[in-house]
Amino acid sequence: MVKVLLMLFLFLSSFMNLMAQVDGLVIDANTKEPIPGVSVLVKGTTKGAATSVDGKFSIPAEVGDLLQVSFIGYKTQSIKLTNTSYLTVSLESEDKLVDEVVVIGYGTQKKSVVTGAVASLSSEKLKERPYPNIVQSLQGSVAGMRIFMRGTDAEGSVSTTRIRGVNSISGSKSPLIILDGVPYEGSWSELNVNDIESIEVLKDASSAAIYGARGASGVILIQTKKGAGEKLVVSYDGYVSFYNAINIPKMMDGETFYETKVDGGGSISATEQASYEAGESTDWLDLALQNGVNQQHNISFRGSSKNTGYYFSANLTDNKGIALNDEFKKYSFRLNLDQKLGKWVSFSSKNKYGYYDRGGNAASFSGAFLMNPLGKAYYDDGSIRLQTWEDSSYADNPLSSLNEEDNDIERVFNTNNSIVVTTPIKGLSYHLNTGYTYGTRIEQTYWGEDTSEGVESNGELSIENTYDENWLIENIVSYERSFGKHSLFITALYSAQKNTQSSNLIDAADFPNDVMTYWQPNKAGTVETDADYSQNQHLSQMGRINYSYDSRYMSSFVIRRDGYSAFGKDHKYGIFPSVSLGWNIANEPFFTDSQCADIVNTLKLRMSWGRNGNEGISAYSSLPTLEGINYLDEDYNPTFGFYSSALSSPKLGWETSESINIGLDFGLLRNRINGSIDVFSRTTKDLLLERTIPAINGASSLLQNIGEMKGKGIEFQITSTNINKGNFRWSTDFNVEASKDKLVDVGLYDDNGKPIDDSASEWFIGHNPDSYYDYVFDGIVQADEVLEVDPFNSQPGYMKYKNLNNDDDIDAENDRKVIGSLYPDFTFGVSNNFIYGPVSLSVFVNGSVGGIAPNYLMSTMSVSYRQNQLDKEFWTEDNPINTYPANAGDGSVNPAGAKFYEKTDYLRIKDITLGYDFQKNVLNKLHLDRLQVYCNVQNLCTFTKWSGLDPEFVDSSSHQRAIPQVRTFLFGVKFDVK
């Protein structure tokens, strides 16, 4: 009995020891002072505590537990408990801005010595918002980078990306994308967000000057993952999402359309009358929509050994959009290898293969928005009607594309291989970087006799094969050394790049039947063939010197010379210099000894100046070109000839943007709050514009370097840790930017040589190139109202226009003005992230203010009674509103043809993600290192006064009748296998 009691006592003692309360103290490693508010957490559990004002803590823990000790401004420590005795933890100070390394192009730097305007995004930030297309994850994340989603499709690719506004009219306005050191020209949708390690955005001229001729619109550097860790990590990330259409404008139903048409004087067809009498109405938007489903699966293998690092991933994306027959499938594979070859040489290879299926033509939403609601979609047997009612011009069924046989397959292979040789001279290295991309795309479409096109021509087909090949070779010599307080980083580059594209096209018609669809060009009654080929080349040299002294004074000098084959023979090369300076004020002795140093931990002033280029033209724009033409000779025999379609432009050269940037980086309260503010101005000269010339030359225009535009703006970005106590953490990311661009010269001048507007092209001096020029709507003519100036013989219910020059007429020359711009005054994004033990929550909101656009659904043209329109309120004598004219089918109520403009301001709850990380006991049972389940809601709510489709879908009339915006509900899981 005594023996049993003794054994029980020993067991209980051991149990109590294992489940003991661990007490401890957390101190500063340098000052040895206690640190209050430190988070102490048993990793993989909800057990947590925070240190008291004297730095002490007490937490229930077991032997073998892993304690995670963290606090803002200090390096996080992980301590494995071997016993439960009193624990003293020394935390070392961590200056995040000093330690963080960013990619700057052809090298890396610590963020503390970067002198340009560079913004960074990590893979973790991107994963906070799980989207099938990475461009959607980037939206609202970086101050100065504006991303507008201009429509919704299964691929998620209808977007516009701008960095620091618009700096060109005809040239490229999109940023240069560098993927693993090689220019990337593919679609955003082809990138796998799970493969990405980091993204850097180079915004100012000094940062982007490293890429010279193509950096005028900014540069986005994307780095994919490398092998890491001493053991193999197998990871899976997959989700399924469901989405439905939102923000759909209310169009007229059949009864409303009928009554509006009759009231407006329109004639009623037999189909319209029959549908109205039967009480039938066709909701074309509803017929064209379906519930969308997307699934994505990603598996990766990552690890390293002594000399080898490896990363492999496979991705499957299968997306069925909300538009009928809109689908996108992606299969991509990536293999990244890093291998040390002895003491002096290392080799890196990054390879990706992608297979993209864009087959199928979606229902036409341009047609669905405007189709007569009294028309009929289907025949009695359920087949799709070709014509929905009697009108021959506007009755093509929006669903007819569902009968088209369409195949669209693209295959792309990318490989980037590099060798780095470390020389015996300390700090000197040579880097050979090569990139090669080969892509093929086959597009096959057949219009059979169940389509409008096929009926007219006994079937039609189109087959196009496209081949793209791109190679790059870069020779880079780098020298990096530190001499006491002096640090030097010198880079020299010589590179060559060549792009080749070719295509073959067959158009054929008149087939015996539809059985073989697009596989029967040899059976066509008529066949047209065509082929195309283009090639362009780049040749570049670059030198860069980065110097810093005592981590206080920094400088960077870059000069790059770029040649582009498309420019004229006299101006193929351009030289692009830049200089930037930085001052780490917080490292100055006078600052570190002041009381401010206790609050302000980081304070860096940056200034830069530089020039960048914009090539933005096709391969043969400077050469004379001929176009083919068929004609009959004197004997009436068909003959093939040529005519001059473009003249030589040997002086055609680069657009050049010159910009100045002043920035301030700051960190407060042990970098608990850190951020940056930048102010910039930019002048772009030698714009690539078409000058009108007499057509007697054979061409009516000539591309030249004429004109000038200017831009300026301010950017602010801040990250703060609001609460970090125990096992609860709340952090916020906020960014806002405002910019304005204006035209200074568009190549037209008055008799005194002063630049004037080009009204025909809608380019106006002092305004953004994306501006709207129109009459100013001034209300509605009311009953018994007499207008002082009325050249239109207006009746009650007509639109009124402001007489801007107060003369005795209202005319197009003197009474139109710039109404506003599509481009907003400022955009912003704010993300709040919460972590409570194993639960995480992130909420992202973004918005835009200051843009306007015409609402094309508010048309007053006569065609509106052959097409549906927005369900709106008309002026009548009993309803004398001042917002919209009377109902008139001939458009007479709007004699000047003015458009209806609305503000496109919006505030959107863009993304909410809720995640749960399973605890250690569950992970052990499942043999996992990590297991997270998460759910996500995208586009939860939008606040806007825009009455059209969506405030982002305003780029053109076609985008305003695009596939609607969607709300998405997503469920996913992530895990790492032990």
Side-chain angles (χ1 to χ4, degrees):
M1 185 64 179
V2 175
K3 188 175 181 180
V4 172
L5 291 174
L6 180 61
M7 292 178 65
L8 181 60
F9 173 76
L10 292 173
F11 172 78
L12 290 174
S13 298
S14 301
F15 180 78
M16 292 300 294
N17 184 55
L18 288 172
M19 297 298 294
Q21 195 81 6
V22 175
D23 298 319
L25 172 70
V26 180
I27 62 174
D28 186 296
N30 295 322
T31 66
K32 307 303 181 185
E33 295 292 327
I35 309 174
V38 176
S39 171
V40 183
L41 181 69
V42 179
K43 192 171 183 181
T45 75
T46 58
K47 301 173 186 176
T51 58
S52 61
V53 291
D54 55 0
K56 295 181 180 179
F57 69 89
S58 182
I59 187 172
E62 307 174 16
V63 172
D65 278 346
L66 192 66
L67 292 188
Q68 186 169 292
V69 185
S70 61
F71 189 65
I72 296 297
Y74 290 89
K75 295 180 180 179
T76 299
Q77 277 200 38
S78 295
I79 303 170
K80 189 170 184 179
L81 292 179
T82 57
N83 55 64
T84 56
S85 59
Y86 195 80
L87 187 65
T88 300
V89 182
S90 297
L91 290 184
E92 295 182 0
S93 177
E94 176 188 52
D95 186 340
K96 291 184 178 180
L97 292 179
V98 170
D99 290 342
E100 185 179 351
V101 174
V102 297
V103 180
I104 58 171
Y106 307 112
T108 60
Q109 276 189 312
K110 288 184 178 180
K111 192 170 183 178
S112 62
V113 297
V114 171
T115 53
V118 181
S120 300
L121 282 171
S122 66
S123 59
E124 295 304 315
K125 285 291 183 183
L126 295 174
K127 288 181 180 179
E128 287 176 2
R129 286 182 267 160
Y131 288 88
N133 192 322
I134 187 176
V135 73
Q136 296 167 299
S137 301
L138 291 174
Q139 189 179 34
S141 298
V142 175
M145 183 168 68
R146 297 182 177 185
I147 296 175
F148 303 99
M149 304 308 299
R150 298 303 192 191
T152 302
D153 62 3
E155 190 173 349
S157 59
V158 188
S159 64
T160 300
T161 304
R162 299 287 181 264
I163 294 178
R164 290 192 165 180
V166 179
N167 67 327
S168 182
I169 297 179
S170 303
S172 174
K173 305 177 186 68
S174 299
L176 173 67
I177 301 174
I178 303 294
L179 177 63
D180 289 327
V182 176
Y184 176 74
E185 298 180 357
S187 168
W188 282 111
S189 61
E190 297 175 12
L191 297 175
N192 178 9
V193 66
N194 293 278
D195 289 340
I196 294 175
E197 186 70 37
S198 67
I199 294 179
E200 269 75 31
V201 182
L202 312 184
K203 297 184 288 185
D204 68 330
S206 69
S207 301
I210 195 73
Y211 293 101
R214 288 176 282 178
S217 298
V219 181
I220 300 176
L221 304 179
I222 302 176
Q223 299 291 315
T224 59
K225 293 178 179 178
K226 297 181 178 181
E230 297 181 355
K231 66 174 184 177
L232 170 65
V233 176
V234 181
S235 301
Y236 170 82
D237 186 350
Y239 61 77
V240 60
S241 60
F242 308 90
Y243 39 96
N244 58 281
I246 59 173
N247 302 342
I248 302 177
K250 184 182 179 183
M251 308 300 289
M252 291 183 178
D253 61 18
E255 181 180 1
T256 303
F257 181 82
Y258 180 91
E259 294 173 352
T260 302
K261 187 171 184 177
V262 170
D263 183 62
S267 60
I268 302 299
S269 71
T271 301
E272 290 175 311
Q273 188 66 40
S275 294
Y276 176 72
E277 292 176 355
E280 297 174 350
S281 177
T282 303
D283 188 338
W284 292 100
L285 289 172
D286 184 64
L287 289 180
L289 289 167
Q290 63 183 359
N291 291 323
V293 180
N294 175 44
Q295 60 173 318
Q296 180 166 292
H297 306 276
N298 192 86
I299 187 169
S300 66
F301 302 83
R302 190 177 190 182
S304 65
S305 61
K306 182 179 180 181
N307 294 315
T308 305
Y310 54 89
Y311 173 81
F312 172 80
S313 72
N315 177 271
L316 162 66
T317 298
D318 187 353
N319 194 359
K320 183 178 74 171
I322 61 167
L324 286 177
N325 212 35
D326 182 26
E327 297 184 4
F328 174 69
K329 294 183 179 66
K330 175 175 71 175
Y331 309 89
S332 66
F333 305 88
R334 173 169 289 278
L335 176 61
N336 290 353
L337 293 173
D338 294 280
Q339 178 68 46
K340 290 184 178 180
L341 304 174
K343 184 178 180 180
W344 308 104
V345 181
S346 60
F347 171 76
S348 175
S349 180
K350 297 182 177 181
N351 308 276
K352 176 178 175 290
Y353 174 78
Y355 177 95
Y356 312 102
D357 184 352
R358 301 179 176 91
N361 288 327
S364 168
F365 275 82
S366 179
F369 269 102
L370 300 179
M371 181 50 61
N372 188 334
L374 296 172
K376 296 181 180 295
Y378 301 100
Y379 293 112
D380 292 338
D381 62 2
S383 60
I384 295 174
R385 294 171 62 104
L386 301 185
Q387 302 293 310
T388 64
W389 64 298
E390 289 81 358
D391 192 292
S392 60
S393 301
Y394 299 94
D396 285 346
N397 196 327
L399 307 181
S400 64
S401 58
L402 304 182
N403 287 338
E404 298 169 8
E405 295 289 337
D406 182 75
N407 183 48
D408 185 348
I409 301 295
E410 183 180 18
R411 300 171 178 87
V412 182
F413 173 70
N414 308 89
T415 181
N416 175 22
N417 298 280
S418 62
I419 295 177
V420 177
V421 179
T422 304
T423 69
I425 301 174
K426 188 175 181 180
L428 182 65
S429 63
Y430 167 73
H431 183 185
L432 174 64
N433 184 43
T434 66
Y436 179 78
T437 299
Y438 183 76
T440 66
R441 185 170 183 174
I442 180 170
E443 299 172 77
Q444 302 163 299
T445 305
Y446 183 76
W447 295 270
E449 293 190 8
D450 54 355
T451 66
S452 298
E453 298 88 346
V455 165
E456 295 175 359
S457 56
N458 291 327
E460 288 186 23
L461 67 77
S462 176
I463 303 173
E464 183 173 12
N465 293 337
T466 304
Y467 307 90
D468 290 282
E469 189 174 21
N470 183 349
W471 59 258
L472 169 76
I473 297 177
E474 295 180 324
N475 296 275
I476 307 166
V477 177
S478 300
Y479 180 72
E480 188 171 8
R481 284 293 305 274
S482 294
F483 309 91
K485 295 183 178 181
H486 305 271
S487 295
L488 187 65
F489 181 22
I490 301 175
T491 308
L493 164 80
Y494 184 91
S495 74
Q497 182 179 2
K498 183 177 180 179
N499 296 280
T500 303
Q501 183 180 81
S502 60
S503 63
N504 298 295
L505 176 67
I506 298 176
D507 287 324
D510 192 13
F511 295 97
N513 56 58
D514 297 335
V515 175
M516 297 184 65
T517 66
Y518 42 70
W519 297 108
Q520 54 178 342
N522 59 322
K523 295 180 174 58
T526 60
V527 177
E528 292 184 12
T529 61
D530 197 6
D532 189 35
Y533 177 85
S534 67
Q535 180 188 113
N536 62 70
Q537 301 177 52
H538 295 83
L539 194 63
S540 306
Q541 304 90 39
M542 183 273 296
R544 177 179 63 191
I545 299 176
N546 292 330
Y547 169 77
S548 68
Y549 173 75
D550 198 23
S551 295
R552 287 186 288 166
Y553 313 113
M554 295 80 65
S555 62
S556 178
F557 305 90
V558 178
I559 186 166
R560 177 158 175 151
R561 179 176 180 264
D562 275 299
Y564 180 41
S565 59
F567 285 127
K569 62 180 182 180
D570 300 331
H571 290 82
K572 288 191 180 296
Y573 286 89
I575 296 177
F576 307 98
S578 75
V579 58
S580 59
L581 306 172
W583 179 25
N584 264 325
I585 304 172
N587 290 348
E588 292 286 356
F590 71 82
F591 191 89
T592 56
D593 294 338
S594 68
Q595 293 182 347
C596 293
D598 296 331
I599 300 175
V600 182
N601 314 114
T602 301
L603 191 63
K604 182 176 67 174
L605 180 66
R606 296 177 280 103
M607 293 174 286
S608 68
W609 167 89
R611 289 178 181 160
N612 304 115
N614 190 334
E615 59 189 39
I617 59 173
S618 59
Y620 307 109
S621 298
S622 65
L623 300 178
T625 57
L626 298 175
E627 289 286 342
I629 185 171
N630 294 320
Y631 67 97
L632 298 178
D633 63 15
E634 55 186 11
D635 296 324
Y636 299 100
N637 296 314
T639 305
F640 192 78
F642 296 91
Y643 72 94
S644 175
S645 59
L647 302 181
S648 173
S649 185
K651 295 184 178 181
L652 187 67
W654 307 89
E655 283 186 356
T656 302
S657 293
E658 182 176 321
S659 65
I660 298 173
N661 187 92
I662 300 175
L664 183 70
D665 299 329
F666 59 88
L668 310 174
L669 304 176
R670 295 187 179 274
N671 287 320
R672 187 167 185 155
I673 302 172
N674 59 74
S676 64
I677 182 169
D678 283 87
V679 179
F680 67 90
S681 66
R682 177 185 58 231
T683 299
T684 303
K685 297 182 179 180
D686 298 327
L687 296 176
L688 293 163
L689 297 178
E690 295 276 358
R691 180 188 290 276
T692 301
I693 60 175
I696 193 173
N697 296 287
S700 58
S701 63
L702 181 65
L703 186 62
Q704 292 185 325
N705 292 107
I706 52 177
E708 178 182 335
M709 65 183 299
K710 291 186 176 182
K712 60 182 179 180
I714 184 171
E715 303 165 354
F716 178 70
Q717 189 147 355
I718 190 169
T719 298
S720 66
T721 301
N722 310 313
I723 299 176
N724 187 15
K725 187 174 183 180
N727 56 358
F728 178 69
R729 177 185 175 94
W730 170 29
S731 63
T732 300
D733 295 299
F734 172 76
N735 72 81
V736 61
E737 63 87 25
S739 62
K740 184 177 181 179
D741 300 288
K742 66 178 183 179
L743 293 168
V744 177
D745 183 353
V746 292
L748 296 180
Y749 310 94
D750 61 16
D751 294 338
N752 298 318
K754 181 181 177 180
I756 59 175
D757 301 334
D758 183 349
S759 300
S761 301
E762 297 193 351
W763 297 332
F764 305 100
I765 303 301
H767 296 280
N768 190 289
D770 291 323
S771 294
Y772 298 105
Y773 185 67
D774 208 340
Y775 293 93
V776 180
F777 176 51
D778 197 26
I780 307 299
V781 178
Q782 302 298 327
D784 301 325
E785 182 179 2
V786 178
L787 301 180
E788 293 182 7
V789 178
D790 185 16
F792 305 114
N793 298 318
S794 299
Q795 305 295 318
Y798 276 36
M799 290 174 60
K800 295 188 296 186
Y801 315 96
K802 286 189 177 181
N803 187 356
L804 298 181
N805 65 339
N806 295 316
D807 62 1
D808 58 356
D809 193 14
I810 294 178
D811 58 85
E813 183 178 355
N814 299 301
D815 294 302
R816 291 187 298 167
K817 62 175 288 187
V818 174
I819 305 294
S821 173
L822 170 69
Y823 209 76
D825 294 333
F826 68 90
T827 61
F828 63 90
V830 57
S831 176
N832 281 286
N833 304 285
F834 307 89
I835 297 176
Y836 182 71
V839 180
S840 61
L841 173 68
S842 70
V843 181
F844 173 65
V845 176
N846 73 324
S848 172
V849 177
I852 71 161
N855 189 340
Y856 291 99
L857 296 178
M858 302 283 284
S859 171
T860 58
M861 304 304 291
S862 59
V863 74
S864 61
Y865 290 126
R866 301 164 77 180
Q867 298 178 338
N868 200 7
Q869 56 182 283
L870 201 66
D871 191 357
K872 52 189 175 291
E873 186 179 11
F874 292 95
W875 180 96
T876 65
E877 290 188 4
D878 297 328
N879 184 36
I881 60 175
N882 261 305
T883 54
Y884 198 82
N887 178 19
D890 60 1
S892 59
V893 293
N894 184 9
K899 299 181 180 68
F900 290 84
Y901 296 89
E902 296 179 355
K903 292 182 178 180
T904 58
D905 302 351
Y906 70 89
L907 173 68
R908 197 192 307 274
I909 302 177
K910 182 71 174 178
D911 187 282
I912 300 176
T913 303
L914 177 67
Y916 181 84
D917 288 274
F918 282 85
Q919 300 178 19
K920 186 179 67 173
N921 57 339
V922 176
L923 299 179
N924 289 337
K925 292 178 181 179
L926 298 175
H927 302 285
L928 299 176
D929 273 343
R930 179 193 65 151
L931 174 60
Q932 182 191 61
V933 293
Y934 59 96
C935 58
N936 171 272
V937 180
Q938 297 161 16
N939 296 327
L940 178 65
C941 187
T942 303
F943 303 93
T944 183
K945 292 184 178 180
W946 172 259
S947 64
L949 180 59
D950 190 273
E952 284 190 84
F953 297 7
V954 295
D955 192 46
S956 65
S957 60
S958 61
H959 286 161
Q960 292 183 35
R961 297 192 294 267
I963 301 172
Q965 182 65 270
V966 297
R967 180 178 295 118
T968 304
F969 300 90
L970 181 149
F971 305 91
V973 60
K974 304 175 184 178
F975 61 80
D976 296 338
V977 181
K978 280 188 175 182

